[in-house]
Each structure stands twice: as C-alpha cells, then as structure tokens.
Amino acid sequence: MKISKEEVSYVAHLARLEFSEEETETFTSQLNDILMYMEKLNRADTAGVEPMSHATALSNAFRDDEVRESLSEERSLANAPDKQGGCFRVPKVVE
Amino acid sequence: MELYELTIHELQEKIRSGEVSASGILDSVFGRIEAVEVNVRAYITLLEEQAREEAAKADQRIKAGDINTLTGIPIALKDIFCTRGIKTTCGSHILHNFVPPYDATVVEKLREAGAVFTGKTNMDEFAMGSSTETSFFGVTRNPWDLDRIPGGSSGGSAAAVAAGECIASLGSDTGGSIRQPAALCGVVGMKPTYGRVSRFGMIAFASSLDQIGPFTKDVEDCAIMMNAIAGYDPRESTSVPTDVPDYRAFVERGIDGWNVGIPKEYFIEGIDAEVAAAVQKAIGVIEKLGGKCLPISLPHTEYCLAVYYIVAPAEASSNLARYDGVKYGFRSENGRDLLEMYKKTRSEGFGAEVKRRIMIGTYALSSGYYDAYYKKASQVRALIKRDFDDAFRQCDVILTPTSPTPAFKIGEKTDDPIKMYLSDIFTISANLAGIPGLSVPCGYTAGGLPIGLQFLAGHFAEGRLIQIAAAYEKNTGGEKRKPSL
C-alpha cells in the first residue's frame, strides 16, 4: 500500500474535499493503483538532471507598470453566489 | 453536396463568387444540427439567435467587399474558452452558471477574422478525460458509431466537425485532447507549440502543458485556422513573441528529400492491429512522396504516461483551488462556516475524475512526497524533451499512430482510470516536450471507424506538420468517407 485511508482523508482535507466512507475506499484503492504505476519512474536515471518546469526558453515576462482599464465592480461581482455592499459575501469565519 | 459538408476554403470561394451567403451557410449548418444533434450531442450551448445576427452582419460586409479569412464561416468553440456574456461551463457542475465578463484571446481573434459562432461544445470536465464521458452535461457520441465515444477531452468539438454541425472548431490539448478525438472522429486536429497560441481566457487545467488548436475537415483548413489564432499576446505571459508564418503557404510544397523518423517505441504490443496496418500503409505513402523513413529511438517514451499523470494533476490541483464558491460558479448551501462551505462546494461541484486528479496532485505536491513524485517527474520530463531534441537533429518530422485504438465503446473504460489514461500514450509526449503535433485521418477499420496518423515536429515548426500532412492527405489513395448519420 502506497497510501492509506487515513492519508487519503488527510489529503482530501488539504484539497478542501470531503468523501463518504465508500468514496474514501474507492479513492484509496484507485490512488494506490495509480501511485504503483508511477513507481516505474524510479527506474529512470535522473542523476544531475535539472527539473524541467515548462517547455519554452522564456523566463520572466514583465510588462510596464501602467494604469489600464480593468473590470468594473459591477462586472466583477456579476457571478458572485452572494454579495453585499460591493463585496463578496461568505459564511462567517470566526465566532 | 450540402453546404455544411464543405470546407472553409471551399465555402470562401463560394462566398467570394457570390454563389452563397453567410446566412445560407448558417441555415445549412443549423439544419444539420437540428437533424443530428439529438443523436450526437456535441454541444452544451447552441447560439442560434446570436449566430444568425452575426451571419447577417457578415453578409453586409461581404456585400461591401470587406471579406476576411473566416467571414461567414460557422465555427464551434470548446466550452473551455471564455465568451463574454455566454455561459462557459468547462463541462463542470461547479461552473454550470458561469457567465464570463470577457472573451478569450482566441475568441476575439476568430471574431476579428469574421467567424460566426455556432455554440459551445461538450468536453470532459475541466478537460480531464479521453472520452468526453466525464462531462457534467452528458456523453457526446461518435458520429461514426453512436455507441462509441468521440475521444476527449475535446470530444464535442471533434464530433461537431465530423457530423457537419459546424465547419471547423477549436479545442484544447493538454495530453492529446485535440489529436486523439480528431483521430477517433476522422478529422484533422493540431496541437501547436507551447506558447504559439495565447491561452488568455482559456480555463486552465495544467499550465505547463495546455495549448489551444483547431479541428478541421482538411489540412488546408487547419492552416487557415492557425493563421487566425496564432501569435503573441501581451496578456499571456507564456505566449512567445516570435513571427508567425503564413501556414497556408506550406500546403502545396511537398516533402521530397525529407527525413521522417519512425520511433520504435510507438509501435508496441497492445496497439490495435488495424491501426498498426493503417500506419504502416501511410509510411509507404510518405516514401512514395519522396520522404525517407528512418528508424529512430525516443528512449524515455515508456515514462511519458507516469510523468504526465504527476505533472498534470499537480498543476491542476493548484489551478482548481480557485473554485471555492466565493467569486463565481456553484456554491453549496450546506456549509455552516467558511471551511465547510469550501468543502461542500468542491465536493458537490466536482465530478469523480476531477477529484481523483486533485487528490493525486495534492498528494504529489504535499510535504514529504514532493521530491519522490513532482521533482522526479520534472527531471524525467527533461529527459523526454532531450529525446526529441536529439531526434530532430536526425529528422524533419516524426510519424506515429495518434491513438493505440480506434474509438471504444461508451462505458468501456470508465471504471479503470489507468486503462483510460493509456488512450493518450502516443500524444502525451508532445505536451511534455512542448512540441507541435497534428493528427490526420489515415483510413478506416473493417468496422468503418476512422484511424489517425500523428506527425510531430520541433518547436514552432507547425508549418512542417501542415506541409507533410497536406502532401499525405492528397496522396493517400484511400477514399474519403463521411459518417452516415
């Protein structure tokens, strides 16, 4: 076993997901299969190889710091599930 | 021949000669949609009313002699591209009500070129899948056999072109999501070089892999679509500021004297016998056209799938953190405090495959596992790219099958994630290396299912792909069929 049910529940918490008992079992079994498959990477010799993060030669892409038009408050809030007084509204965070 | 069956370049000629109007073309396409969409289900959202207005405007421009490269051409968009004022779902319940406040760059560019938008096409949820079965909005069916999947994740865009429900379409390709459905639906599909097409306004899946490209009925149309969408965009920091050639100029050039690499690692056990035979036949055609086919090796190919299924979920787990029920999209009513609201929203809003990938990615990036998974995968990825760099010193293009099998049955692979992931085994490497790839039809199985041939080239060598695919397409010798719907 690469990953236990407890670890699956912990990773789910990190990812802000929650599963039923049945889902946890299914995910544990499937994630184990997938992680077992990943094991084959250990056969590749990567000594001294720089990790590759993306495929082009670009490094930092800067632009000038100029004031430009941006989304209006109204359009920014148009899709909000809940809003009040020009702000996004969420359930209470602290008692 | 009905208008909906024609290519972009054929319709352009008829528009220029005054033989047809944009409205007439759109009538034909929407007539076709009315007849077959009930079976194919390629679209999530149809834009008939808006399209009719756009076609009427196109006709005014045509009358005034103001004809652009796509004026009056009905084009479908994968529902991953933001369209201002038009619902954009990414195939997910969590975005089922999302109406973007702006257009993606590719949408702006197609509109500037004169395109008429028919609708938003179905896709695997957040582009995670190889069959379009993970869509919250139901399965799209393969126009060649309605019991089979169209491929994925851009299955709706591929099926819409194959079925005549649009003239061309746009998709996105993170591990094969344009090329694989193009192969399975018998159309042309290209994934350009990473950085060639701006992704501004495309909903992100795996940011170091995602790229946008066209589905078309032939290679010349692919070149026309690439001319419209390629180029640098200051709003997209990974788009590359290099010149864009006229891709259409590559269509007639031929391939005499080219070296075409045949990587032995792509002709493996488990590949469908009819697919292997069709690709072998295609190699014969390439040689007749003056191409020299030489055996090459891409020694790290066996690791591609494992690298991909670490890198892509890791990036996805980060990209999809934004779906939390606060700023847009679905919010669960069942959360009593903020943390519970996040968890309920995400658990009720995402489907099983998306959750599975978020879990793999979160695990691979979590403390204590980062070196073993993400770092290791990124190192092997560098070796995979080096394989291609070496190969393109010996050959102009590489030829492979696009997919190891033709279209499979709906439901056949949904219970076994790894079996489903293997559908992308020949397409993933191009995304990892950032190189362009193109799938072109290369025949049919005895059962009448289309088979796809893939060409790969070095960074920013899309022109070469168009050159060889166009030469091949003209000389395949095989009949060109259409699905009987």
Side-chain angles (χ1 to χ4, degrees), chain B residues 5-321:
Chain B
E5 295 176 86
L6 301 180
T7 61
I8 297 174
H9 55 93
E10 288 165 342
L11 289 169
Q12 275 175 335
E13 265 180 44
K14 290 188 186 295
I15 286 173
R16 280 177 201 280
S17 69
E19 197 186 320
V20 301
S21 67
S23 302
I25 296 168
L26 194 72
D27 283 343
S28 175
V29 168
F30 268 96
R32 179 67 171 170
I33 289 173
E34 195 158 312
V36 302
E37 175 63 4
V38 63
N39 292 323
V40 179
R41 302 175 208 171
Y43 286 94
I44 292 175
T45 304
L46 281 165
L47 300 170
E48 183 165 2
E49 199 177 318
Q50 179 191 310
R52 290 201 186 278
E53 284 169 24
E54 286 170 0
K57 279 185 197 149
D59 280 327
Q60 284 169 7
R61 287 198 298 273
I62 292 164
K63 224 175 256 172
D66 173 19
I67 304 178
N68 210 333
T69 51
L70 293 171
T71 299
I73 304 296
I75 286 177
L77 301 166
K78 186 177 184 179
D79 209 16
I80 198 168
F81 302 115
C82 285
T83 40
R84 185 172 176 172
I86 297 162
K87 196 178 66 171
T88 300
T89 69
C90 221
S92 182
H93 179 47
I94 213 161
L95 284 177
H96 76 279
N97 57 357
F98 175 56
V99 179
Y102 60 89
D103 279 326
T105 296
V106 286
V107 174
E108 281 180 357
K109 283 187 163 233
L110 289 177
R111 186 175 286 133
E112 277 163 27
V116 171
F117 296 122
T118 51
K120 307 292 293 288
T121 59
N122 198 18
M123 56 183 285
D124 281 298
E125 185 179 7
F126 283 101
M128 296 177 190
S130 309
S131 66
T132 317
E133 290 170 291
T134 73
S135 170
F136 175 70
F137 301 94
V139 183
T140 294
R141 294 160 188 278
N142 192 312
W144 297 86
D145 178 347
L146 296 172
D147 292 331
R148 292 175 189 270
I149 56 94
S153 67
S154 313
S157 283
V161 173
E165 296 187 73
C166 62
I167 304 302
S169 65
L170 277 193
S172 66
D173 188 314
T174 304
S177 286
I178 292 173
R179 291 160 288 155
Q180 185 255 19
L184 272 41
C185 288
V187 298
V188 174
M190 182 194 281
K191 179 203 97 74
T193 309
Y194 186 77
R196 177 89 288 180
V197 177
S198 167
R199 305 172 300 174
F200 176 80
M202 186 190 92
I203 296 171
F205 162 14
S207 301
S208 80
L209 304 165
D210 297 339
Q211 186 57 205
I212 298 168
F215 289 94
T216 55
K217 292 172 184 169
D218 69 6
V219 178
E220 185 167 356
D221 275 8
C222 178
I224 292 169
M225 288 289 282
M226 281 299 295
N227 278 349
I229 62 171
Y232 174 67
D233 177 7
R235 294 178 296 188
E236 215 268 70
S237 61
T238 61
S239 86
V240 177
T242 53
D243 289 340
V244 180
D246 173 10
Y247 291 111
R248 215 169 168 176
F250 291 88
V251 169
E252 300 287 350
R253 286 185 188 170
I255 55 156
D256 194 29
W258 276 28
N259 290 321
V260 179
I262 315 291
K264 62 171 193 244
E265 292 84 0
Y266 284 64
F267 294 84
I268 47 164
E269 219 175 297
I271 177 171
D272 180 274
E274 286 179 294
V275 171
V279 173
Q280 282 304 332
K281 206 171 150 203
I283 291 172
V285 174
I286 294 296
E287 284 185 325
K288 259 187 223 145
L289 292 170
K292 277 176 267 177
C293 293
L294 52 128
I296 61 163
S297 175
L298 298 164
H300 295 90
T301 299
E302 63 165 319
Y303 302 118
C304 286
L305 202 65
V307 169
Y308 178 82
Y309 278 99
I310 292 171
V311 171
E315 295 181 8
S317 72
S318 164
N319 274 325
L320 271 59

Side-chain angles (χ1 to χ4, degrees), chain A residues 3 12 25 30 41 50 69 78 84 93:
Chain A
I3 184 168
E25 294 216 354
Q30 288 177 337
L41 288 182
E50 272 296 303
E69 207 188 325
Q84 190 181 327
V93 184

